[in-house]
Amino acid sequence: MSLYEKEINRRRTFAIISHPDAGKTTLTEKFLLYGGAIAQAGQVKGKKNTRAATSDWMEIEKQRGISVTSSVMQFQYEGFCINILDTPGHQDFSEDTYRTLMAADSAVMVIDAAKGVEAQTRKLFKVCAMRDIPIFTFINKMDREARDSFELLEELEKELGIETYPVNWPIGCGKEFQGVYDRGSKKIIHFTSNGGAKAATATEVELGDPNLDGLIGERLHRQLTDEIELLDGAAAEFDLDRVRHGKLSPVFFGSALTNFGVEPFLEHFLRMTTPPLPRKAGDLVIDSMDDDFSGFVFKIQANMNKAHRDRIAFLRIVSGRFDADKEVYHVQGGKKIRLSRPQQLMAAEREIIEEAYAGDIIGVFDPGIFSIGDTLCAPGKKFRFDPIPTFAPEHFKRVRSLDTMKRKQFLKGMEQIAQEGAIQIFKTPYTGMEEVIVGVVGTLQFDVLEYRLKNEYNVELYMEGLPYEYLRWITTDDGEPVKEEDLILGTDVKLVEDYKGNQLLLFGSQWAVGWTQERNLNLTFHEFGGTQF
Ligand code: G4P
């Protein structure tokens, strides 16, 4: 067993995923309150008016009052050391959001009880499901009018293709919300609202308590009895192994704003989810309990301080212990290095650290040597963690330099930013690089690109929107590149190449994806790039 078994075993590293406004920030904040990492609500960076104040990393963040990149928070709760990975929503949604999920060992999916599964939940879920990591569902805002609970579960199962297991069950909703029935203990946790944003009071009552009618009302009591019967008869059996392999999602109902159901959720979640998971490196599997240090870079944030052109690389520690005094081996660079200024984020604060363990996320100063997916390990080892997939962009623009004399700077800037992984660049076959097609996951990246090219490379861009929304990498059975004239393509489909020479198709609609696939059966479509081929 590992020298660091105790430290590693108590780590839990997860991402919270949701569609904007479902309550991710509110829930995160409540977690941090329980952990004592913040003293009062409203301190988490995501909140509107505090956003600009806590992060001045990039001018563009200040101008817009948003955080462009995702961050990490660590806190302690009942002996657990918890790392929460934030996944930005709204217009600052980007490839970084997806990559952050590669560093997590499980995901908490927040669903708005009035809305159910929404577009962004679907996308983020897909990326989690790709790795079969455990997914826990928190159905939020039960203090408001909600959709029927059975209907919500059915939608989760049908739309996301995962089985669900309700760990608790709501009693009423909105003004009538009485609390939840805990299926394990067979107790009712009764909710009394204190009004507004204050925490609600919760009291436990046995299901057989003779005063239950008086407490929750005769009608809701009867409804609950019927629903429990239905649930026990129809719902999937609880199976921890299936939970841990991402096949069965435990579901909880509650209200983050009034702090109802958050603590029971956290407790169940911490018990059901896993300590740091192993990661693959080709034929090897690197277990978190291996004594030797290893980790991979999953995100690079450039120019946090423009005067120094500094970059921070975010590292997920996969195994062993990171020690700030020891040298590590950077496999892709082929060099031993000492990681400078290792730091961790604690709510809104950053602090320099001396040590960290498997499961932890640290930020290290990057003098320009790291790329997304790079492996760091103990000197003497040489394995490489499997690459982080490339995610299909959804917005495309044709981009060139306004000043044709600045072609060199234009290319340098575009390639540099593409290498950092903020954008993807494509070109049409047989054309040069005077003009490139830029694809991004979130439209804010276009603004970031324009800003950075002007500020860092002195190049003004001309950009023109393109009507594509979907992308598939393509491969053929014989592995040979395809020729455009051999394909049957509609008018809203375009064949392009990425800068590594992989071929792909851009589509104007989801419908066109299906149409093209049906007519070009020699092609295999891939939704994620970089890992399958
Ligand atoms: P997000 O990070 O997923 O985008 O959501 P966030 O937590 O910011 O919540 C979005 C809105 O929903 C906020 O209201 C928040 O107060 C509210 N909310 C979150 N959880 C609950 C809940 O359990 N019940 C109810 N009724 N509301 C909830 P806002 O008015 O947009 O923002 P604010 O002025 O409260 O900051």
Side-chain angles (χ1 to χ4, degrees):
M1 255 304 163
S2 168
L3 289 168
Y4 315 115
E5 184 187 351
K6 219 171 122 206
E7 278 300 333
I8 296 172
N9 251 335
R10 68 186 196 92
R11 267 141 172 102
R12 297 290 182 276
T13 303
F14 65 95
I16 308 195
I17 61 174
S18 75
H19 191 80
D21 278 344
K24 179 168 61 75
T25 312
T26 313
L27 188 66
T28 308
E29 202 160 71
K30 295 292 148 80
F31 287 164
L32 295 177
L33 275 170
Y34 281 120
I38 56 170
Q40 67 192 64
Q43 275 182 269
V44 176
K45 61 122 200 73
K47 282 289 168 188
K48 284 165 204 139
N49 46 9
T50 55
R51 280 178 180 175
T54 53
S55 164
D56 56 358
W57 291 344
M58 278 178 85
E59 196 60 27
I60 198 161
E61 289 192 350
K62 273 195 270 176
Q63 284 167 10
R64 299 189 164 231
I66 52 162
S67 162
V68 178
T69 42
S70 34
S71 64
V72 189
M73 287 159 275
Q74 187 182 70
F75 69 98
Q76 314 282 327
Y77 178 78
E78 294 197 345
F80 289 100
C81 174
I82 299 164
N83 295 298
I84 301 188
L85 293 148
D86 186 21
T87 55
H90 293 278
Q91 72 272 51
D92 47 348
F93 188 70
S94 71
E95 257 205 274
D96 259 357
T97 311
Y98 287 142
R99 285 194 202 109
T100 296
L101 297 177
M102 299 296 124
D105 295 320
S106 58
V108 169
M109 177 164 71
V110 186
I111 301 272
D112 182 330
K115 298 196 173 137
V117 177
E118 296 176 85
Q120 208 151 294
T121 334
R122 220 170 279 133
K123 287 185 206 165
L124 292 164
F125 176 88
K126 216 184 241 180
V127 175
C128 296
M130 179 174 90
R131 289 180 47 226
D132 295 330
I133 59 173
I135 298 172
F136 295 79
T137 308
F138 187 83
I139 300 192
N140 191 30
K141 303 197 187 182
M142 289 307 297
D143 59 307
R144 285 202 190 153
E145 283 312 308
R147 282 173 46 192
D148 177 72
S149 308
F150 284 107
E151 196 187 297
L152 282 168
L153 293 191
E154 200 181 309
E155 183 173 290
L156 281 168
E157 300 210 346
K158 226 163 111 194
E159 289 236 5
L160 306 178
I162 188 166
E163 276 185 69
T164 57
Y165 180 88
V167 176
N168 61 29
W169 193 254
I171 308 168
C173 67
K175 286 200 184 73
E176 284 201 321
F177 184 48
Q178 299 293 326
V180 293
Y181 165 68
D182 185 275
R183 294 180 68 203
S185 66
K186 298 198 188 307
K187 279 187 182 150
I188 282 158
I189 310 172
H190 184 244
F191 164 93
T192 319
S193 168
N194 290 333
K198 297 220 187 76
T201 316
T203 35
E204 276 194 14
V205 187
E206 297 285 340
L207 184 60
D209 193 297
N211 298 322
L212 203 55
D213 273 356
L215 199 62
I216 64 173
E218 202 182 317
R219 185 178 55 81
L220 284 177
H221 186 183
R222 210 172 331 112
Q223 186 181 331
L224 176 67
T225 315
D226 291 349
E227 290 182 344
I228 293 175
E229 210 179 288
L230 248 170
L231 273 179
D232 290 347
E237 294 273 314
F238 184 76
D239 179 342
L240 190 59
D241 198 51
R242 287 172 62 73
V243 171
R244 291 190 166 175
H245 289 91
K247 302 289 174 238
L248 181 69
S249 177
V251 178
F252 301 78
F253 292 82
S255 157
L257 185 68
T258 58
N259 211 355
F260 186 80
V262 176
E263 202 172 14
F265 171 72
L266 192 57
E267 277 168 11
H268 279 291
F269 167 72
L270 292 172
R271 269 192 294 110
M272 288 182 196
T273 192
T274 58
L277 291 175
R279 292 291 196 282
K280 277 205 228 144
D283 295 335
L284 298 175
V285 174
I286 310 298
D287 194 84
S288 62
M289 293 295 172
D290 286 0
D291 287 339
D292 289 328
F293 161 81
S294 71
F296 64 88
V297 175
F298 66 93
K299 163 179 137 114
I300 291 172
Q301 182 160 353
N303 295 346
M304 281 174 151
N305 177 348
K306 192 175 170 234
H308 301 106
R309 287 225 163 174
D310 72 344
R311 310 206 306 180
I312 299 281
F314 286 82
L315 191 71
R316 153 78 200 228
I317 303 178
V318 175
S319 63
R321 181 171 89 153
F322 166 75
D323 187 334
D325 293 331
K326 292 217 178 96
E327 283 192 316
V328 299
Y329 183 66
H330 175 214
V331 179
Q332 277 77 1
K335 277 202 185 93
K336 273 201 262 180
I337 50 170
R338 199 180 296 277
L339 297 175
S340 55
R341 284 192 266 137
Q343 48 195 278
Q344 215 157 39
L345 284 105
M346 183 85 74
E349 311 277 311
R350 289 208 246 167
E351 60 175 46
I352 302 290
I353 51 143
E354 294 300 322
E355 57 174 43
Y357 295 88
D360 287 343
I361 312 290
I362 56 171
V364 295
F365 173 70
D366 171 19
I369 57 171
F370 296 128
S371 298
I372 304 276
D374 279 7
T375 300
L376 291 156
C377 54
K381 304 258 166 163
K382 286 211 166 131
F383 58 82
R384 287 167 192 242
F385 286 111
D386 286 2
I388 289 180
T390 314
F391 302 96
E394 292 170 26
H395 307 276
F396 299 88
K397 282 189 179 181
R398 199 191 300 277
V399 177
R400 61 179 160 82
S401 165
L402 261 183
D403 181 349
T404 47
M405 302 299 284
K406 293 198 172 150
R407 189 175 160 269
K408 250 188 168 162
Q409 291 99 306
F410 168 73
L411 269 184
K412 191 169 164 225
M414 296 301 280
E415 277 174 3
Q416 177 67 34
I417 295 172
Q419 232 168 50
E420 285 169 19
I423 57 166
Q424 291 182 46
I425 51 180
F426 309 102
K427 65 183 199 85
T428 39
Y430 323 116
T431 62
M433 292 286 279
E434 280 75 22
E435 182 179 272
V436 294
I437 294 174
V438 172
V440 297
V441 168
T443 50
L444 182 71
Q445 295 309 119
F446 287 130
D447 296 0
V448 174
L449 175 68
E450 198 169 12
Y451 179 88
R452 291 191 53 190
L453 264 255
K454 187 152 182 267
N455 277 269
E456 294 166 34
Y457 301 91
N458 200 19
V459 175
E460 297 231 25
L461 294 181
Y462 170 81
M463 299 211 247
E464 181 192 346
L466 292 171
Y468 306 112
E469 285 180 29
Y470 298 87
L471 174 158
R472 295 289 182 271
W473 280 269
I474 52 171
T475 48
T476 52
D477 296 341
D478 57 11
E480 290 297 313
V482 290
K483 293 200 188 79
E484 191 152 7
E485 55 268 29
D486 296 337
L487 299 178
I488 302 168
L489 302 179
T491 50
D492 62 344
V493 182
K494 193 173 179 67
L495 176 69
V496 295
E497 285 172 8
D498 65 18
Y499 73 106
K500 289 183 191 141
N502 297 312
Q503 291 187 306
L504 26 95
L505 291 170
L506 306 181
F507 304 90
S509 64
Q510 177 76 55
W511 181 85
V513 179
W515 189 94
T516 313
Q517 176 74 91
E518 276 167 29
R519 282 162 184 77
N520 297 274
L521 293 172
N522 57 329
L523 299 183
T524 309
F525 286 11
H526 308 268
E527 208 172 334
F528 304 105
T531 50
Q532 306 94 323
F533 49 92

